[in-house]
Amino acid sequence: MEWGKIETQADIDKLMQLINNFHDSCISGLTYSSGTYVDEEYSMIMNTEPVVNLLIQR
């Protein structure tokens, strides 16, 4: 299976159809990356686009 971004309601509807509305499916993994880091001058750099990865198996 390929990775896919969920950005619109149509993307959500497609995902729900693909996994049969979670029937016989489970969330087997979840990761979050804020993207925030500390630079060489010890300043915190905030990322405006954090990333969440959700792994669903069926």
Side-chain angles (χ1 to χ4, degrees):
M1 181 171 206
E2 296 180 25
W3 288 99
K5 287 187 177 183
I6 299 174
E7 299 177 315
T8 66
Q9 183 62 47
D11 296 336
I12 294 169
D13 295 340
K14 182 179 175 182
L15 172 66
M16 292 305 289
Q17 183 178 23
L18 179 67
I19 60 173
N20 198 21
N21 293 307
F22 280 105
H23 180 74
D24 293 333
S25 300
C26 68
I27 296 173
S28 61
L30 176 71
T31 60
Y32 168 76
S33 175
S34 69
T36 301
Y37 63 95
V38 176
D39 69 9
E40 300 84 20
E41 297 177 7
Y42 304 108
S43 297
M44 185 176 2
I45 307 301
M46 302 291 287
N47 184 358
T48 59
E49 296 185 33
V51 176
V52 174
N53 292 309
L54 178 65
L55 179 60
I56 300 170
Q57 292 183 319
R58 70 178 291 242

